[in-house]
Amino acid sequence: MSSSPHPEETQIPDEFALLAFDMEKYSQIPEAMMESTRSDVDIIVADVLADCGLPNPQTLPHSYKDGGDGAILLFPPDVLARIIDPLLGRLGAALGRYDQRRLASSPLVRLRVAVHAGPVTGPELRSGNALVDVSRLLDSQAVRQALQSAADTGSFLAGVLSETAYQRCVHGGYTAELAPLHFAQATARVSDKPGYQALCHLHVPGMPGAAITPYLSGEPGPGSPGAGASAEPGPSGATPSAASASQGGGIQFHAPLYGATVGGHIERVRNTYPHR
């Protein structure tokens, strides 16, 4: 008896590298300046992508999901390491140069950036858990707290990596300028998603991970009793750290994104990046 062909729905969808970004306090920008400021950010992102030898998702079919105050970008899976290193460092530096040039009356621009990898489904690439997960990482209180550490030390970007992206690229040794010491481990939680928690890794260009940790409410510090303790996996299969981060606000998109988914002060720290 011959077997019938598998229906299309049972096929594993293609995997993508995902990068999402969001502008801090976008809703507080005067309406008359929103478009120009967002256009400036788009130009910065496009220039950094080109500088890193990465394709611009706006030129690829269905690979740019605009959310008004941010976007989700889809890349081929083989560039996952490059959207971590060198992209995060170069994007942070570009935002610093922009801040030096902007008029005093122009809005301050800081970005949260999330990196993940996973399958994306549908003919228009608008569905799948990977899109949900990267959005929730971007919404998480952990990366918001990391951005506060960036602000307090004169930086303009905080990145959050999923456990998948971190293990494949940083732990795997594929990020030449970034090592585990440049990241702080945390639990990603979102205030209006009480069932969601996932292990994540935070990075602020120019800061060691240990300098981010004091900003993370409820996270164990290095050597504390809770550090390294086991925990139950979250809904996406990631294992959160033993202590939970405090819950906070979430991302607010000002345009349709995709179908059914969508602490203290520290002293100046030294740049621990290896010298080129």
Side-chain angles (χ1 to χ4, degrees):
M1 180 177 179
S2 61
S3 59
S4 60
H6 291 289
E8 183 179 354
E9 288 77 15
T10 65
Q11 295 179 1
I12 298 175
D14 292 335
E15 183 168 295
F16 291 84
L18 295 88
L19 182 145
F21 70 86
D22 179 79
M23 297 171 61
E24 180 190 41
K25 299 179 180 178
Y26 179 79
S27 62
Q28 298 180 22
I29 297 175
E31 184 176 354
M33 305 182 74
M34 281 183 171
E35 178 60 30
S36 61
T37 305
R38 174 58 199 274
S39 295
D40 288 347
V41 170
D42 285 341
I43 292 170
I44 292 170
V45 171
D47 287 348
V48 171
L49 290 175
D51 186 47
C52 295
L54 290 163
N56 187 341
Q58 293 197 57
T59 66
L60 303 175
H62 310 302
S63 292
Y64 188 89
K65 318 295 184 184
D66 197 317
D69 51 0
I72 299 177
L73 287 60
L74 275 57
F75 297 89
D78 60 346
V79 304
L80 178 61
R82 263 191 288 163
I83 64 175
I84 299 169
D85 177 37
L87 186 141
L88 293 180
R90 293 184 185 181
L91 182 55
L95 291 169
R97 292 191 296 271
Y98 174 82
D99 188 69
Q100 292 175 350
R101 297 192 305 265
R102 71 180 177 90
L103 299 175
S105 58
S106 299
L108 177 69
V109 174
R110 289 195 178 94
L111 297 183
R112 303 191 313 277
V113 178
V115 179
H116 184 40
V120 181
T121 66
E124 296 184 359
L125 302 176
R126 65 178 189 175
S127 303
N129 289 334
L131 289 170
V132 176
D133 290 340
V134 78
S135 296
R136 291 180 179 176
L137 286 171
L138 194 64
D139 286 357
S140 68
Q141 185 68 8
V143 74
R144 294 174 185 275
Q145 292 167 340
L147 190 59
Q148 184 59 54
S149 75
D152 286 354
T153 53
S155 298
F156 300 90
L157 179 146
V160 56
L161 274 58
S162 68
E163 176 72 352
T164 297
Y166 179 85
Q167 289 295 333
R168 289 183 185 179
C169 300
V170 181
H171 186 267
Y174 295 103
T175 51
E177 299 295 326
L178 294 181
L181 64 89
H182 297 114
F183 292 83
Q185 181 176 301
T187 304
R189 297 178 185 272
V190 181
S191 60
D192 61 348
K193 307 292 181 184
Y196 172 78
Q197 59 180 13
L199 188 65
C200 67
H201 301 265
L202 303 165
H203 174 64
V204 172
M207 292 177 62
I212 303 172
T213 301
Y215 286 82
L216 305 178
S217 302
E219 296 291 347
S224 67
S230 61
E232 293 298 320
S236 298
T239 303
S241 59
S244 62
S246 65
Q247 299 183 8
I251 185 173
Q252 181 177 359
F253 286 103
H254 300 277
L257 184 58
Y258 43 79
T261 65
V262 168
H265 176 72
I266 60 174
E267 297 298 326
R268 185 181 304 274
V269 296
R270 295 177 59 190
N271 188 341
T272 60
Y273 281 74
H275 293 291
R276 294 182 181 272

